[in-house]
Amino acid sequence: MPRLTDTTTLARNRARAKGATFLHEDVRDEVNERLTEVNRSFTNIAIVTGFPDFWRKTFPAATIVPDEEVLNLQPGAHDLVIHALALHWANDPVGQIIQCKRALRPDGLFLGALFGGQTLHELRACLAEAEAAVTGGLSPRVLPMGEIRDLGGLLQRAGFALPVADSFTRTVLYRDLWHLMHDLRAMGEGNALDARLRTATPRAVFTDAAQRYTHAYGVDDKIKASFEMVFLTGWAPHDSQQKPLRPGSAVQRLADALNAPEIVLPQTKGDA
């Protein structure tokens, strides 16, 4: 299977990241809010992340492990595993989620946060158009990220109970394309694609892309960039959890439950 991510470059990008943690702050706040809604105390938490210092401040008692291909998690050791804004870089996202599930006790909770498919769609489009116009070709520049329906399916493939995938989009304003790219480097989210171009890009590509970006996505004197944050929630299976009824096992008609008259539709010639 071809590799998506050059993990050496990703580690270097993260080591050079400086201060732009606002998206991690968004994820932290959302995680805390969701844990409050669960109304359960978690005593053995593990966090998978490429930014251990940030997450250790939020969960000082948690076990922090890097998002390596083989996660350093003990089977059945945790009642909560958080995969914190790193899963989009995984070469094997299903494998990552399965390893998180194995680390959970029965009825343990998995929370995964990652960038979704609409993230930086503006930048992706403008760079592609500019590179095609200037050089006559295309090269991988923005990480391809999964759509929410596909990402939710990963939970089912991993065997989680009660799987849920949802998202929200954070729109950020920047002065120009150069400001956005600077911020991406400060986040540690620069281009770490294994198939990326390894030679210098002509400056004319970025100049053209900047003009296209301002024209298509300008807001007053700034440009907008979208960050879709997808949250994956699943529970390690346990007998106490709610389970769907078998088809045909209902003991009450829906019409009776709604106190509404039942309308029998006439058969057509094609009905059996």
Side-chain angles (χ1 to χ4, degrees):
M1 183 175 68
R3 290 200 318 165
L4 172 71
T5 302
D6 179 346
T7 54
T8 300
T9 298
L10 178 62
R12 185 182 67 230
N13 290 350
R14 288 171 170 174
R16 294 174 177 176
K18 295 181 179 179
T21 60
F22 65 94
L23 295 175
H24 283 270
E25 292 167 8
D26 280 356
V27 171
R28 174 201 61 197
D29 294 345
E30 186 70 21
V31 165
N32 283 329
E33 182 175 343
R34 290 171 186 242
L35 292 180
T36 299
E37 294 173 352
V38 170
N39 194 27
R40 179 188 296 188
S41 296
F42 295 97
T43 57
N44 295 92
I45 302 172
I47 302 177
V48 181
T49 178
F51 294 86
D53 293 340
F54 175 88
W55 285 94
R56 191 172 288 114
K57 293 177 183 177
T58 304
F59 296 91
T63 299
I64 309 291
V65 301
D67 57 322
E68 298 170 342
E69 293 191 12
V70 178
L71 300 177
N72 187 23
L73 294 172
Q74 296 301 314
H78 302 283
D79 52 7
L80 171 63
V81 175
I82 302 169
H83 208 300
L85 212 56
L87 194 57
H88 51 282
W89 282 114
N91 283 310
D92 181 13
V94 177
Q96 289 274 300
I97 296 175
I98 290 174
Q99 291 180 72
C100 290
K101 177 176 173 287
R102 289 174 179 166
L104 286 169
R105 301 168 183 168
D107 205 31
L109 176 62
F110 170 76
L111 285 175
L114 68 160
F115 292 125
Q118 294 304 303
T119 298
L120 298 176
H121 68 89
E122 306 95 341
L123 178 63
R124 184 183 296 109
C126 292
L127 282 175
E129 292 170 6
E131 187 171 18
V134 174
T135 70
L138 288 175
S139 60
R141 296 187 179 277
V142 179
L143 178 69
M145 289 160 272
E147 298 299 328
I148 187 169
R149 179 181 300 179
D150 299 327
L151 294 173
L154 300 183
L155 292 169
Q156 295 177 312
R157 290 174 61 186
F160 276 105
L162 309 174
V164 176
D166 61 286
S167 69
F168 68 87
T169 299
R170 170 82 176 265
T171 301
V172 184
L173 297 180
Y174 290 96
R175 291 189 302 272
D176 50 32
L177 176 70
W178 316 104
H179 184 200
L180 168 58
M181 293 194 300
H182 178 272
D183 212 28
L184 291 175
R185 288 192 292 270
M187 296 177 195
E189 295 291 342
N191 190 351
L193 291 168
D194 193 61
R196 72 190 185 280
L197 191 68
R198 305 301 174 110
T199 57
T201 299
R203 185 175 179 83
V205 170
F206 296 112
T207 301
D208 189 299
Q211 294 171 350
R212 294 174 186 271
Y213 208 132
T214 299
H215 177 73
Y217 304 105
V219 179
D220 295 330
D221 59 343
K222 298 183 184 300
I223 61 171
K224 64 178 182 179
S226 300
F227 296 90
E228 183 188 16
M229 316 295 284
V230 175
F231 286 83
L232 305 178
T233 306
W235 294 85
H238 188 264
D239 291 340
S240 66
Q241 293 165 351
Q242 296 179 352
K243 296 177 177 60
L245 294 174
R246 297 189 309 275
S249 63
V251 297
Q252 184 178 17
R253 298 187 311 158
L254 179 61
D256 294 338
L258 298 176
N259 194 26
E262 182 176 13
I263 300 174
V264 179
L265 298 177
Q267 283 191 331
T268 64
K269 292 182 179 180
D271 291 336

